[in-house]
Amino acid sequence: MERTTVLITGCSSGIGLGLAARLAADPARRFKVYATMRDLAKGERLLERLGGCCPDTLELLQLDVTDPCSLAAAAQRVQGQRLDVLVCNAGVGLMGPLETCSDQAMKTLFDVNLFGAVRTIQAFLPAMKSRRAGRIIVSSSIGGLQGLPFNAVYCASKFAVEGLCESLAIVLRPFNIHLTLVECGPVHTSFLANLQRPDPEGSEMRGLDAETQGLYRRYLGHCQSIFRDTAQEVEEVLPVFLEAIGSPCPPLRCASTQLLAPLWRLRLSSPDGSEYVRAMHDFVFGSSETGGDQP
């Protein structure tokens, strides 16, 4: 049986690592996986998951989505192979009051989350179009569907990814190329530990007004409770990606969690946004009227 060829970005940890390991270890050996990462030295974690050796169903590739030369080299390596599935999973985070976000931090975030996805799709899309077949899966976020406090720049990058993919999906329809966004919520990965965020007691916060400082501290406490009580494990999220890979006609959007579904429905039912803003504020910071913390 001919194998399905899959290339995944961001495989050094988290969802990318888990997905690459799951596909490469498929008992029926249905997949050939190109697991890519910026630093190949971090590929040892993936190999450990697979028993310490690299099976013939897996190949590690260096790929930095911010570097066009790196992307070109990866595309050249895959050239001649029929790439059936492209998974754009590389991403970074940025949290904190907007006043503390530097120009460089914001540019880096967009360079990875948005322009990195654009470059990756550009590199592999022409071959899919010429074959008139393929699918593209993009790791998105519930932060690409609704604004989240103290994640303004991160949400902006994910909103942009959502617009990019929705627009592109329309054009790709006659080419038989399916594009799917997987909107994840809190997941137990190194993402939260690695994202840039100011220490609430650090120097970056000194020039900020006291009320915003207080809200930020409360938000960090809210995040801790959300991750403690509701965050998913990577293994719980992988079936959504596997369904997008295996389904004959996958949808444009798949959610890995229903955590904020009530707020999302409120956002749709109240188009002017005022009800959503109030409900999200009360969910995170508590209601001044009721003292509750639920939407």
Side-chain angles (χ1 to χ4, degrees):
M1 183 177 67
E2 197 168 22
R3 290 177 180 172
T4 298
T5 304
V6 184
L7 186 142
I8 311 168
T9 66
C11 288
S12 62
S13 63
I15 292 171
L17 186 154
L19 182 61
R22 174 73 71 88
L23 295 175
D26 178 61
R29 302 166 66 83
R30 293 172 296 169
F31 302 98
K32 167 68 176 184
V33 181
Y34 290 94
T36 78
M37 58 199 73
R38 186 175 54 182
D39 180 2
L40 274 179
K42 294 183 178 179
E44 289 301 317
R45 293 183 59 192
L46 176 54
L47 296 181
E48 287 172 9
R49 289 277 296 272
L50 295 167
C53 60
C54 190
D56 64 359
T57 53
L58 175 72
E59 184 171 334
L60 301 182
L61 287 181
Q62 193 279 333
L63 196 161
D64 180 350
V65 299
T66 68
D67 181 356
C69 293
S70 174
L71 264 165
Q76 180 67 30
R77 176 65 187 86
V78 178
Q79 192 174 34
Q81 301 283 328
R82 185 197 69 245
L83 183 60
D84 300 295
V85 183
L86 173 64
V87 182
C88 298
N89 175 68
V92 294
L94 179 64
M95 179 192 291
L98 185 63
E99 299 94 316
T100 67
C101 298
S102 68
D103 277 1
Q104 186 55 55
M106 292 188 286
K107 288 175 181 176
T108 298
L109 182 88
F110 269 82
D111 202 23
V112 176
N113 291 1
L114 175 61
F115 296 115
V118 170
R119 293 185 196 100
T120 304
I121 293 170
Q122 286 176 326
F124 297 100
L125 183 59
M128 287 185 174
K129 278 185 168 181
S130 67
R131 288 199 333 271
R132 305 188 79 83
R135 59 189 62 200
I136 300 167
I137 300 169
V138 179
S139 291
S140 187
S141 166
I142 56 176
L145 297 174
Q146 52 205 103
L148 305 174
F150 295 113
N151 282 271
V153 181
Y154 174 74
C155 287
S157 74
K158 290 299 186 179
F159 266 65
V161 167
E162 292 275 333
L164 165 77
C165 292
E166 185 171 295
S167 300
L168 185 58
I170 299 167
V171 177
L172 295 182
R173 183 176 172 83
F175 291 93
N176 193 36
I177 298 171
H178 299 281
L179 196 156
T180 299
L181 290 148
V182 178
E183 282 119 4
C184 298
V187 182
H188 286 300
T189 68
S190 59
F191 181 84
L192 187 63
N194 292 338
L195 63 75
Q196 290 189 61
R197 57 177 171 177
D199 183 333
E201 310 302 330
S203 59
E204 295 167 286
M205 303 289 288
R206 288 176 188 162
L208 200 63
D209 64 275
E211 188 170 359
T212 302
Q213 290 188 44
L215 288 169
Y216 181 52
R217 291 189 191 96
R218 289 163 68 185
Y219 176 70
L220 292 178
H222 172 82
C223 281
Q224 289 177 350
S225 66
I226 287 288
F227 269 84
R228 182 184 65 244
D229 299 335
T230 65
Q232 295 176 292
E233 299 297 335
V234 169
E235 292 300 315
E236 296 178 82
V237 173
L238 293 185
V240 183
F241 285 85
L242 296 174
E243 177 67 20
I245 290 172
S247 172
C249 190
L252 174 63
R253 289 186 172 88
C254 299
S256 73
T257 178
Q258 295 299 307
L259 175 63
L260 295 182
L263 285 164
W264 169 240
R265 288 193 290 269
L266 179 62
R267 188 174 184 271
L268 294 176
S269 64
S270 178
D272 74 358
S274 56
E275 287 299 308
Y276 172 77
V277 169
R278 178 200 59 77
M280 178 58 83
H281 179 277
D282 291 352
F283 175 58
V284 175
F285 303 113
S287 170
S288 59
E289 296 178 358
T290 66
D293 60 356
Q294 297 297 317

